């Protein structure tokens, strides 16, 4: 059975922050514009308890918004035993489709490195206990982060390195761990040849697209507050780099996001509402 509107490109924003300002104050408008742009779903990611509570609220308001949550490496210094227990409890909700973003950020160092490392380790365990895919943030810390993940492997519920910024070897190590690689708007930036050469080689069954909004708006909107609707620009660049069509990369990445986050069937097959 062929439905001809199946050719309308559909996308899933695998990593957004609708609960962060300035998006939160107009999240209803943001969701409406995303749907108009062809988004089948948005995964919004809470980065501490308060933020995760807002992410949960938005996810429960919409059928096509899902949440992930965990203590971001920036906030690792606030993650005591009690906070982590509360996060784990909240993340057991059925609208929470992954645990994270967790990881290491040695670029900003908002939390001391040793604390980032121990909280990452503890949260890898939480993701495993919850049986949910792990959502990983690594910045200037790929070697350390991947070594920690390799020690904790395997990951039966898989996971994703979001906003990928590593090199080719890092990508290979992530793929060997069974992880997905999520490509943000930075792939459109003029000088980012490194990321484009990796995007060219990611296997079809492991690539995701994301905005990481409100950060990192793609060209030609760079510098603006990013939002899920802008993912189309990222998708166009990824399609061009991989020598495929917008429809195809939409279909491939949407299918992958549905598998990884175990999204309901109607999300994967949804093509009538555009
Ligand atoms: Zn991140
Ligand atoms: Zn993020």
């Amino acid at each position: 059975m062929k439905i001809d509107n199946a050719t309308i490109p559909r996308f899933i924003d695998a990593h957004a922050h609708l609960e962060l300002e300035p998006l939160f104050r107009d999240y209803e408008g943001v969701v409406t514009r995303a749907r108009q742009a062809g988004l089948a779903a948005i995964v919004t990611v809470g980065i501490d308890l308060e933020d995760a509570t807002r992410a949960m609220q938005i996810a429960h308001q919409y059928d096509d918004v899902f949440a992930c949550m965990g203590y971001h490496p920036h906030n690792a210094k606030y993650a005591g035993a009690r906070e982590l227990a509360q996060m784990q409890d909240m993340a057991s909700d059925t609208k929470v489709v992954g645990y994270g973003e967790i990881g290491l950020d040695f670029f900003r160092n908002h939390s001391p490195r040793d604390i980032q490392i121990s909280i990452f380790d503890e949260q890898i365990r939480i993701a495993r206990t919850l049986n949910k895919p792990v959502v990983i943030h690594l910045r200037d810390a790929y070697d350390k982060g991947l070594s920690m993940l390799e020690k904790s492997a395997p990951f039966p519920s898989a996971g994703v390195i979001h906003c990928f910024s590593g090199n080719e070897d890092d990508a290979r190590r992530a793929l060997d761990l069974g992880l997905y690689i999520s490509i943000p708007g930075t792939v459109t930036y003029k000088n980012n040849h490194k990321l484009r050469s990796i995007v060219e080689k990611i296997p079809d069954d492991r690539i995701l697209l994301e905005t990481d909004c409100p950060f990192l708006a793609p060209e030609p909107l760079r510098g603006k507050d990013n939002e899920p609707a802008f993912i189309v620009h990222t998708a166009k660049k990824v399609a061009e780099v991989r020598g495929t069509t917008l429809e195809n990369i939409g279909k491939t990445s949407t299918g992958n996001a549905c598998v990884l986050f175990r999204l309901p069937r109607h999300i994967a097959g949804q093509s009538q509402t555009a």
Side-chain angles (χ1 to χ4, degrees):
M1 261 208 318
K2 276 222 162 136
I3 310 163
D4 65 347
N5 59 5
T7 57
I8 295 167
R10 306 286 301 178
F11 306 102
I12 289 179
D13 187 347
H15 192 108
H17 294 284
L18 303 185
E19 74 295 329
L20 284 182
E21 294 298 357
L23 299 181
F24 186 60
R25 76 176 77 115
D26 179 34
Y27 72 85
E28 296 186 325
V30 170
V31 170
T32 302
R33 290 192 292 279
R35 288 171 173 172
Q36 286 163 350
L39 273 84
I42 301 168
V43 178
T44 194
V45 180
I47 54 176
D48 62 22
L49 280 176
E50 206 185 310
D51 194 58
T53 305
R54 284 195 296 271
M56 183 78 101
Q57 175 208 325
I58 303 170
H60 275 281
Q61 189 176 334
Y62 299 102
D63 279 351
D64 48 0
V65 179
F66 301 85
C68 288
M69 56 188 60
Y71 265 88
H72 191 287
H74 289 344
N75 305 321
K77 61 186 169 194
Y78 305 116
R82 196 204 303 188
E83 285 76 16
L84 288 179
Q86 255 178 284
M87 190 66 91
Q88 176 171 347
D89 188 47
M90 195 171 6
S92 65
D93 187 277
T94 53
K95 272 310 283 281
V96 179
V97 295
Y99 191 83
E101 56 187 296
I102 60 174
L104 305 173
D105 194 312
F106 293 171
F107 179 72
R108 300 237 182 251
N109 292 304
H110 287 326
S111 286
R113 291 185 181 191
D114 57 330
I115 293 179
Q116 291 190 41
I117 290 168
S118 70
I119 297 301
F120 183 29
D121 215 33
E122 277 188 55
Q123 293 194 103
I124 292 172
R125 268 197 292 279
I126 293 176
R128 194 186 300 284
T129 307
L130 289 168
N131 242 320
K132 299 200 182 195
V134 59
V135 177
I136 299 148
H137 169 112
L138 293 176
R139 188 154 184 212
D140 284 2
Y142 272 81
D143 189 46
K144 178 67 186 167
L146 286 163
S147 308
M148 289 174 68
L149 290 162
E150 282 156 357
K151 264 183 217 139
S152 319
F155 295 93
S157 301
V160 52
I161 311 255
H162 106 88
C163 198
F164 189 81
S165 63
N167 60 31
E168 216 166 294
D169 188 49
D170 301 327
R172 188 193 49 75
R173 289 170 72 184
L175 292 168
D176 285 349
L177 283 166
L179 301 176
Y180 290 70
I181 294 182
S182 184
I183 304 302
T186 53
V187 72
T188 66
Y189 296 176
K190 206 169 158 218
N191 294 326
N192 207 347
H193 307 290
K194 183 176 110 182
L195 183 56
R196 283 190 289 276
S197 80
I198 290 167
V199 162
E200 220 184 308
K201 299 177 192 108
I202 301 172
D204 266 343
D205 61 352
R206 297 291 191 85
I207 189 165
L208 300 180
L209 302 178
E210 66 168 76
T211 58
D212 202 15
C213 60
F215 314 107
L216 301 174
E219 293 286 4
L221 304 162
R222 190 171 180 182
K224 290 195 178 182
D225 292 325
N226 199 5
E227 61 177 71
F230 298 173
I231 205 166
V232 179
H233 299 285
T234 302
K236 275 185 190 155
K237 180 56 79 180
V238 168
E240 180 196 313
V241 168
R242 290 169 70 87
T244 186
T245 61
L246 190 60
E247 288 74 17
N248 252 325
I249 193 63
K251 211 171 148 193
T252 303
S253 57
T254 295
N256 290 343
C258 286
V259 171
L260 173 64
F261 294 120
R262 295 177 231 160
L263 301 184
R265 279 172 175 277
H266 73 272
I267 299 287
Q270 188 182 41
S271 54
Q272 292 94 320
T273 53

